[in-house]
Amino acid sequence: MTFFHGLLGMNRRNACYTLVRNKRKLYPLVDNKLLTKQLLEDHSIPTPVLYFQIRHIFELKFLREIKHLKEFVIKPARGAEGRGILVIVDRVGKHWKTASGALLTTDDVEYHVSNILAGLYSLGGVDDEVFIEYFVKSHPLFYSLAYQGVPDIRMILYRGVPTMAMLRLPTKESGGRANLHQGAVGVGIDMYEGITHGGVHKNKLIERHPDTDALIGGVRIPFWKTILETSVRTFDLFNLGYIGIDFVIDSSLGPLILELNARPGLSIQLANHEGLLPRLQTIDSFGPDVEEMPPEKRLELTQEMLVKIKRV
Amino acid sequence: MNRKVYTVSAVLIALSIALVIARIIYGGQSIRPEFNQECWRVSLIMELTGNAERAKVRVTLPQDTDRQTIYNEHYENAETNFYIRMRKSDFTENRVGFWRTELLDGDKTIKYTFSTQLRELVYGIPTNLTLSKNPAGMYPADIQPWLNPSSEIQSGDEELRNRLSKIIGKDKSIHSVVRKIYDFVRGEVKYQSEKGSKDAKLALAKLVADCGGQARLFTAFCRAAGIPSRCVGGLILKPDVKKITHLWCECYIGGKWIPFDTVNGHYGSIPANYLEIYRGDYALIKHTGLSRFNYYFVIRHENIPPVDQPGSLYVIPLHFQSLVQVLILIPLGALVVAFMRVVVGIPTFGTFAPILLALAFREVSLWVGLTCVISLVFLGWILRSVLDYFKILIIPRLSIMVTLVVIFVLAIMIIGFHLSHRKMLYVSLFPIIIITWMIERFAVLQIEDGTPSALIAALGTAVVAILAYYLMEVELIKIYLFAFPELFLAIIAALLMLGRYTGIRLLEFWRFKEFLTLSRKKPQ
């Protein structure tokens, strides 16, 4: 048995994977969600529709022009860890209703947007841009599972090979967000068939969702094959060797890529009850030109890797 | 990759060690290591009280000899006019410092500090030398004056010469003549500390004298016998605060000046703690134009051998050295932060906040500092919540926070002044920007990730800052970093190795502790 189940620690992830495999100059492509969206749309990879963007304070008035739109999401282009995202689900009189049920005036929304523009939520506090996009409606399968918000699927690709995945379920505590350290539930996914098994909540292993009490294991992720195929195609656009791709499954549009992350977190290991190191090392054992292989070949490598580490 | 990093680190460490060793070996000027050596740090503190007159203080300063090295000298001149001259007097040259003031009304404190490295010396006195009828002819011209009588050393005095012939009899060997004179002065003249030393004649008449009287009597006897000799003034070093200086003698025998101290019984030898300040019958300190004058020496051990080459930090003027003392601690703090984050995994508000907090703690003491930071951050966080209510844009909001933190700090200073708690006044040196930024980070983290994560990061920052503070307070580390800044290369080497440390952080074991229960549940 490997040391501590082959746990990949923060130091090793940085020193041996992100720093080595991810070229610094490619980071803006994923750190700026607007650029990510542009690139994905250019290559017909589905992503939530961009309504409009706000670059300057004077453009705040665009918000007041919103007449018929009732559901949308306000996001900072450079936000980290789901920070600064405001989900508007309805319009009640003169107020906007957020996903958590709070009523906001237009002033409140404008203040939030101006904070984003000033860089409150961006990496390193630099000036930021805001974009307004399509509000994803959760797939019916997840209605009973998630408390609020939209669950997403985090897929880790190492050198273009899908390596590990988890389903992230928002909880009451996480306030509709799907980030594990904010209290969301992470559920491990069997890479072969896309079936979930036990999960993790606040670093503790769990079997049931803490709010809905629904069993979180044994769920077959819809469109699993599509998700895998989209992942390997996405790698060819971004060329980052160690990357996390966040998918959401829209009830009518199917899998959409929300964002990419060049520094994906480590909690996915807890959700899968397994360390990442054996998988990463197996992929490295496939030779130096894994990245150059065609997408279909790389999908096969995932299967091969699972066989090698005896997960099938 | 790791191999290259380790190689570079090893090279850096080797380089820093080599530089340190080279500095120790070649920094010590004339003193060779085989002798028993001692290093001391001596301050001469002079308190001047003037009465609206031009004042002048003249002090003989120690200089390098073949058994002592003076290094790291500092002068705190209290706005007086200070200069050093070589002064020829009594056939020898002494190094003299002068402090002059304009019309001095009130008090001034002048401080002269130096380090000295000394060695013990034991001479063998040649047995084959004999006294000559014409001593002046035996010695080189620059030695001859040391045979002549002077005002306090009356070697021509008839009574003294008679006594001398009784003491030495018909003996002609320099070796045994000096021994007899030494035994007489040590045996017959009673030691008693006095106000103002006697001259040689009076010491012989009373047979009671302090070090000055005994030294003058011994010198007078030797000169009368035809051996060139002189008094030497200096300080006996031991960790202490004292005023008393010492006087001993040197005789020129066989081409060397050989020391004798009848008071403490050093015959032809000088112990390592004798610091020579002046030669000849000279005064240590003279002053004019002062209504009151007081001086004392503060003596303590010095840990650093002389390394005052031009490239050393010691050449920086003293009042800038306190700044350098702070600067050299920053890499040390950075090392602590890097270690705590990379190896232990403690979250902090950025890299620099713990370092700057630790530096601030040094100024105001740990508990005062910690209390101030916690109350400032808490108060700031409350006021920031109020600003949040007004919906203020981020840049003006941060500017308001900085202003508020400055106001708090000024308030603390005024309160501290009224409580006559002097340490509180140093709060002004507090890292105001860092505290503002900590408030902002705390508030954002509290809103985004919840109060627990914000408190944990705050606690982590405090813990790392306290650790860095304690490390910065270790005297040895401070002294060695100051003396050998090349140790920074070793710090860089350590940071390089931390930069390639791929092990699991200690706190990650805690985060992933469920992995342990896993192996019990379903063995792989």
Side-chain angles (χ1 to χ4, degrees), chain B residues 54 57 93 114 139 164 177 215 251 270 274 279 281 300 303 330 362 460 476 505:
Chain B
R54 286 180 206 280
V57 178
E93 257 195 339
F114 61 95
Y139 298 104
L164 177 68
V177 164
C251 296
I270 186 158
Y274 272 47
R279 287 170 182 167
D281 206 5
R300 58 178 173 82
N303 299 298
I330 292 176
R362 283 185 67 246
L476 268 185
R505 298 174 182 178

Side-chain angles (χ1 to χ4, degrees), chain A residues 1 3-12 14-16 19-20 57 81-84 107-108 111 114-115 118-121 177 181-182 197 203-205 265-267 269-270 273-275 311, chain B residues 1 341-343 384 387-395 397 440 444-445 447-449 452-453 498-505 508-519 521-522 524:
Chain A
M1 201 182 77
F3 174 67
F4 220 66
H5 299 266
L7 178 72
L8 175 70
M10 186 70 83
N11 293 327
R12 189 140 188 187
N14 292 343
C16 301
L19 274 175
V20 177
I57 292 282
E81 296 172 338
R83 287 182 185 163
D107 275 347
D108 291 329
Y111 178 62
S114 66
N115 264 342
L120 183 58
Y121 303 101
R177 286 173 298 193
H181 73 273
Q182 289 164 339
H197 49 86
N203 297 339
K204 286 220 159 51
L205 302 187
L266 303 169
S267 292
Q269 302 174 98
L270 264 179
H273 302 178
E274 195 189 332
R311 293 301 290 188
Chain B
M1 187 78 79
R341 290 191 58 148
V342 171
V343 178
R384 191 202 173 276
L387 287 179
D388 225 18
Y389 175 77
F390 289 135
K391 316 277 179 220
I392 308 289
L393 288 176
I394 178 167
I395 303 289
R397 188 178 65 211
E440 189 64 23
V444 171
L445 213 58
I447 295 166
E448 293 289 325
D449 291 352
S453 353
L498 277 179
R500 289 304 301 176
Y501 172 76
T502 55
I504 294 171
R505 298 174 182 178
E508 278 174 348
F509 284 115
W510 174 253
R511 179 179 165 195
F512 291 94
K513 62 185 179 299
E514 294 279 325
F515 266 40
L516 289 175
T517 59
L518 216 61
S519 52
K521 270 187 210 157
K522 40 174 187 182
Q524 284 189 333

Side-chain angles (χ1 to χ4, degrees), chain B residues 125-197:
Chain B
I125 299 169
T127 49
N128 55 349
L129 296 172
T130 52
L131 293 175
S132 151
K133 279 263 183 286
N134 175 24
M138 262 178 76
Y139 298 104
D142 60 324
I143 302 295
Q144 284 169 19
W146 295 112
L147 286 164
N148 302 334
S150 60
S151 62
E152 304 261 289
I153 302 167
Q154 302 95 331
S155 58
D157 184 68
E158 202 55 43
E159 205 171 313
L160 194 136
R161 282 183 169 274
N162 289 341
R163 194 53 169 273
L164 177 68
S165 36
K166 271 188 207 154
I167 294 168
I168 61 175
K170 295 264 178 268
D171 217 328
K172 285 285 170 212
S173 152
I174 288 183
H175 175 252
S176 59
V177 164
V178 170
R179 184 79 229 184
K180 278 173 177 165
I181 296 172
Y182 176 86
D183 286 343
F184 173 81
V185 177
R186 183 158 167 77
E188 301 295 325
V189 182
K190 203 173 147 231
Y191 177 82
Q192 188 182 328
S193 84
E194 296 168 331
K195 238 188 165 157
S197 299

Side-chain angles (χ1 to χ4, degrees), chain A residues 278-297:
Chain A
R279 296 188 179 200
L280 299 173
Q281 282 156 1
T282 310
I283 292 170
D284 277 332
S285 73
F286 291 145
D289 51 355
V290 173
E291 292 91 342
E292 268 78 67
M293 294 179 185
E296 313 79 55
K297 177 72 182 135

Side-chain angles (χ1 to χ4, degrees), chain B residues 81-112:
Chain B
N81 190 357
F82 170 69
Y83 53 94
I84 298 178
R85 296 279 182 275
M86 297 306 289
R87 271 295 149 93
K88 209 163 172 97
S89 106
D90 224 5
F91 339 118
T92 186
E93 257 195 339
N94 282 308
R95 184 163 162 259
V96 182
F98 294 89
W99 284 269
R100 285 171 185 275
T101 69
E102 293 302 311
L103 300 179
L104 175 65
D105 202 7
D107 297 331
K108 262 190 198 305
T109 302
I110 292 172
K111 198 169 161 190
Y112 162 62

Side-chain angles (χ1 to χ4, degrees), chain A residues 4-5 14 32 61 64 87 94 136 140 154 169 191 231 245 264 274 291 301 303 311:
Chain A
F4 220 66
H5 299 266
N14 292 343
N32 187 333
K61 61 174 186 280
R64 300 186 183 261
V87 181
K94 284 198 164 182
V136 176
R154 159 67 59 90
L169 304 170
M191 290 292 288
S231 309
I245 303 178
E274 195 189 332
E291 292 91 342
L301 283 185
Q303 320 285 337
R311 293 301 290 188

